Amino acid sequence: MQLNSEIWGTDEQQSAAVSGFNIDTYGIAKSSLDTCDTLGHYKVAHGTSVPIDQTVNYWQLWDKSPFNKLVFIRKDGNNNHIHTVVKSIKPKSIFCCMMPPQNANIYFNKNYRYTQLWEDGIFEPNVANAYNNRGEIITKFNYNQIIARFTFVVYLRDENGNPTGSPISKTTTTNCSIYGFFHNIEDNVPVREKYMITGVDLELFVITPQGQSGYAPNYVIYPVSGALIETPQPNYYYTDSNYKTYIRGASLIGGGISSAGGYGAQVGAFGQSNHGEYWGYDPDNHWELKNFINANNQYIDYFEFTGTYEDMLSQCASLGFWFKEDLIGGSTIPTAADPIITGENCTNDRIIMPIIENGQTTGRYLRGTAAGRSSQAQWGANWRDNVGYTGDKPYKSDASDRGDLTTVFHRASLGGSLNYYLFSPTELQNLVININSGYQPATQEQFTIDFKGTNPADYIANVLYFPDGFVCPKVDSTTFTSVKIGAVTFTFPVGVEKANVEAGYYKEFAPIPVSPEYYSFMDYAPYTTISLYIPFCGTVDLDPSIYMGHTVTVRLYIDYLTGSCTGVVLRDGLATDTISGSCGVTIPLTALATGSYQNAIKQAEISVKQAEIQRKTAWLGAIGATGTLIGGIATGNPLAIAGGVVGVVGAANAIESANLRKESAVYTLDHTAPAVENVSTASPANAIGLDYDVHMLIKRPLYLGGYDSEIYSHTVGNACMLNSPLSSFSGLTVCADADLSGITAPAEIKSAILSALQSGVYI
Amino acid sequence: MTLTLFRTADDTRKLFKALTQIKTVENIFPTGDINVYSPSFMIDYDADLIHCNYLYCDTTGLYYFVSPPVLIDGRRMELNCTCDYLMSFANDILNCNATVIRRENYRGETGATNVPDTKLPVDPKRFFYDGKKAAVLNANEGLNYFVAINGG
């Protein structure tokens, strides 16, 4: 596979391309335009450097691209051409299209840097990802999904062979088809002698799942003709006084340029009412950037197609974006009117991918499957996946997830030989009364028939208490006023409900986003720790590297037959951790037999409350410990219940006594991670409202007072692991090692230089 | 050989130092052995040069740190110099490839990266809790006692 750098250029090549964008040599007033600084920076007029995103890509235009050789013609107030034809080689400038965030903030490596003020000068941002102030990508550049549509400006020729009149058509003509222009002969005269194609309008679209879209929320596409660049606006359709249109060789034709959506730079139609200003190059004044106030005084860039149809495809390919060859209105024409499949999935031979090599379009192209399988398309897909342009060998360097990351939980009804009911305390009492004194068999034989000689209480397999919010769901709204125990029917005044016992039934808690604080290593272990308390189960420690930046959801799977439960921790839909617990409290059946059931119920409820209190206490203690806490101990032992030791208490004791401190096996800390301490009176815990909520506590570090990031950067330096020429750095630079080839000096001096680099130098 | 004397206040570890030129001393000839990388020069006494701490020699093409001059008889000064190899080879150094483990600026970008920094002053005693809670969704109400019965 081709290297990314072989397609879009190495850093040096891109640097050269950027530095080539120096229009001072073409007489552009310096107050209007500035040269580019080093790679990655553009200078604006007031001198501030604006860094650009590292995922930016851009390319130079093929030498034979029409936008490298353009001419101007002028129109008068009556829309007639004044044939001031000035041919000039335009600067080999970088072709780009705008993809700004709505507020035109410029981000570098996800750190906010600058709000671009367009009044400061011309800024031609490149295609890039855009980020918000939390470092989250809000606009992903995807090379494969930006397609171009070309419309061609066709004129009749006058007797001098110059364009005359209004353009006949933008896309195709009834009088002259684009294809026919190149191939047809009428009356023994090549059609191109009668007509001329004077310009190409380029519109850029983004491919959405629904197909081509002229306007997409995340991509602000501007109709571009000869690279017309416009200022970013919150609402593309409307302007304000600061709205500027910078025209680098754009066609300004009466009637304007309309895009598929009817929006955009309709110069003639909208005129000044929609645009604050037009700026373009004045060919009569040393190409000085000029504000054209009078829309009628328009300048037009045009070039003339004189080659073959294949040459025209090369011209379109010279702009670097995918397009399609299609039949429209009887004319074969490069366009993008139909939804198409571009990128690594391309198979249609009508779909064309311009070949870009070493950061420059070539005019060559690939079609269909050949395009889809190309390295260039693959790298375009990597952009979509947010790998970004690294200029390096293809490897995955980002944290974007991959693969099937959804855990499927199954549910199934459980049948069986038992019947499952839901009782209220009153009806449960009635059940006991019925068994103890309500049932009066006439004879011993009757008792044997009814209960096969065993204790009726033995027919009650299990009685469990579940707290409010977590009770077993009922089958339907039917209540049963009679229940068969053994062969005997017992009645209940109020009625009981049938329990819907289902394997895989769970209660889900609201999702909890885990967001970084520092957007650095400080958000991860051992600096940051995360504890998650799950009701009825206990506390689990979550590894920040797994959950940071993701959403944690907790599900509680309850086994109503046994009272046990399993807490499942999900990270964005993928189950990542489990912890066992006990949700139900078993009511001792022996109490039924002894007739002291009412006391047993009361004791069970008391025990539940005790368990809750102890759970909280255990959790408070568990916060401080960083050792992994095993799940709550499921004990249905009635005696244990009576003793009040339920759930996580035992495990919490283990934690407190262990008082573990997590040692980092990988990192040795000078200023150590915060010493782990048990929290005895943590106010957040005291602020717990409900007993049955999931609680997440993220323990985050603080800098020492007096820390100044700038001074620290300048005197100690920020930790990194970067491999690059030293010219890429400035300020304090500390090297692990360096290759001093190229320094002509004695060995002692080289050794001294290396030693200085390793202890730190200021570049 | 011609010596150009400067004052500089920049850190000695800086590659490109800001130099304030004080004087140029011309027609200097060796009076003895000269070590190119730690030379000593004998010049006429000049009060303006007392506090110069930096020097460039056109013959060697190198920059030097200058120790406080030694005033000797005959109205002469002795300048003992040590080569500033960082400034002397600054452009060559910039072209070298390196593995950098600490930096202030990299292509204009500042700030921490995800490489853990063991020297970063994290407070060992203070931290803050970021607490979140999540209630159960669709908490159901109903009868609390689940009873399994063999019957029917």
Side-chain angles (χ1 to χ4, degrees), chain A residues 293-313:
Chain A
I293 305 299
N294 182 359
N296 288 327
N297 185 21
Q298 298 166 1
Y299 287 73
I300 300 177
D301 263 323
Y302 85 93
F303 65 98
E304 192 175 320
F305 272 126
T306 57
T308 64
Y309 179 72
E310 285 67 31
D311 289 336
M312 183 170 66
L313 292 184

Side-chain angles (χ1 to χ4, degrees), chain B residues 18-33:
Chain B
L19 305 175
T20 303
Q21 183 170 334
I22 303 302
K23 198 162 276 190
T24 301
V25 181
E26 298 176 341
N27 299 319
I28 303 299
F29 295 96
T31 57
D33 295 342

Side-chain angles (χ1 to χ4, degrees), chain A residues 186-431:
Chain A
E186 294 177 358
D187 301 328
N188 294 319
V189 176
V191 172
R192 67 178 68 181
E193 292 197 1
K194 186 176 173 186
Y195 300 94
M196 64 188 303
I197 297 176
T198 64
V200 59
D201 292 356
L202 168 68
E203 294 181 64
L204 294 175
F205 296 87
V206 65
I207 292 292
T208 68
Q210 291 76 34
Q212 170 207 314
S213 170
Y215 178 73
N218 290 328
Y219 292 94
V220 184
I221 299 299
Y222 295 85
V224 177
S225 175
L228 178 153
I229 307 295
E230 294 181 310
T231 58
Q233 293 293 313
N235 186 329
Y236 183 74
Y237 289 80
Y238 304 102
T239 66
D240 59 28
S241 60
N242 293 322
Y243 190 45
K244 284 189 175 57
T245 300
Y246 296 95
I247 305 162
R248 178 170 57 127
S251 296
L252 301 176
I253 301 171
I257 308 154
S258 63
S259 66
Y263 65 97
Q266 294 200 14
V267 173
F270 292 156
Q272 294 299 112
S273 62
N274 270 46
H275 297 265
E277 297 172 323
Y278 292 108
W279 290 74
Y281 301 157
D282 187 349
D284 294 332
N285 191 20
H286 309 289
W287 300 101
E288 181 174 326
L289 190 66
K290 180 175 171 178
N291 183 354
F292 295 95
I293 305 299
N294 182 359
N296 288 327
N297 185 21
Q298 298 166 1
Y299 287 73
I300 300 177
D301 263 323
Y302 85 93
F303 65 98
E304 192 175 320
F305 272 126
T306 57
T308 64
Y309 179 72
E310 285 67 31
D311 289 336
M312 183 170 66
L313 292 184
S314 291
Q315 298 291 343
C316 296
S318 74
L319 296 170
F321 290 103
W322 293 79
F323 61 99
K324 181 187 179 186
E325 189 183 31
D326 210 348
L327 194 65
I328 296 179
S331 180
T332 301
I333 184 172
T335 185
D338 300 323
I340 56 177
I341 303 299
T342 60
E344 72 277 23
N345 299 316
C346 181
T347 56
N348 187 333
D349 280 344
R350 287 194 171 274
I351 299 165
I352 297 174
M353 180 196 79
I355 294 175
I356 301 172
E357 289 177 351
N358 300 316
Q360 186 164 355
T361 59
T362 60
R364 308 193 314 272
Y365 49 87
L366 291 174
R367 291 176 181 265
T369 305
R373 291 180 180 169
S374 68
S375 302
Q376 186 174 323
Q378 293 295 321
W379 279 113
N382 286 345
W383 271 321
R384 177 195 59 227
D385 296 335
N386 198 28
V387 171
Y389 171 64
T390 63
D392 299 324
K393 291 184 174 58
Y395 63 90
K396 191 162 173 58
S397 62
D398 73 323
S400 61
D401 291 332
R402 181 190 290 164
D404 188 353
L405 295 175
T406 305
T407 301
V408 176
F409 295 89
H410 298 282
R411 294 173 71 152
S413 294
L414 294 178
S417 58
L418 300 177
N419 296 313
Y420 306 104
Y421 298 98
L422 301 173
F423 278 65
S424 68
T426 306
E427 296 298 26
L428 192 60
Q429 188 171 14
N430 286 334
L431 174 65

